[in-house]
Amino acid sequence: MRSMRAAAVALAGGATLLALTAAPSSAAAPTVDPGAATKAVNCGTGWNGLSVVAVTTKGSSACGTAHRVANAYGDAVQAKHHGGTGRKVVVVHVDDARWKCRERQGDPNPYTECVNLKDRAEKVQLVS
């Protein structure tokens, strides 16, 4: 059993070791498949004229969710400008999932990235 854990750590990294040792035996498997390939899907224009890109393992079907996340983010930003907290991280709720949104440094321009906290391989990027 010990050699199997060592092999898993060597293949998947330290975060997997933490999940293996911290999760009780009855816990469900994580929803992120480290072997699943993500791809960027251009979903057109969304909130505030920004390009909406779904970084996903699910293919083009992710665009509907990506637009709902972009709109929820836009609503949260609008509310923030009208007496909100001014935080740099915005959390929105879409399709029974929480999405954590924050600005990232791009090359050359920054962009907003929202990460699905249930499945961190699923992201929405808002690019100018």
Side-chain angles (χ1 to χ4, degrees):
M1 182 71 167
R2 198 170 248 265
S3 63
M4 289 175 61
R5 281 191 186 185
V9 172
L11 293 174
T16 299
L17 175 63
L18 178 61
L20 288 173
T21 58
S25 60
S26 62
T31 57
V32 176
D33 177 5
T38 58
K39 61 182 172 182
V41 178
N42 185 345
C43 297
T45 304
W47 173 77
N48 210 24
L50 297 173
S51 294
V52 178
V53 177
V55 178
T56 181
T57 60
K58 296 175 176 51
S60 61
S61 65
C63 284
T65 299
H67 277 280
R68 287 190 295 279
V69 170
N71 290 336
Y73 172 77
D75 291 345
V77 168
Q78 292 291 342
K80 182 175 84 169
H81 286 284
H82 297 290
T85 63
R87 297 183 318 193
K88 292 185 179 189
V89 173
V90 175
V91 176
V92 297
H93 299 267
V94 173
D95 297 344
D96 294 325
R98 290 180 358 172
W99 294 76
K100 181 178 174 182
C101 305
R102 66 181 176 160
E103 188 174 286
R104 302 295 229 166
Q105 184 56 49
D107 184 17
N109 298 321
Y111 62 96
T112 298
E113 181 174 77
C114 301
V115 178
N116 182 335
L117 296 179
K118 279 186 177 179
D119 183 352
R120 293 182 185 266
E122 301 299 313
K123 300 173 185 172
V124 173
Q125 296 175 342
L126 304 174
V127 184
S128 59

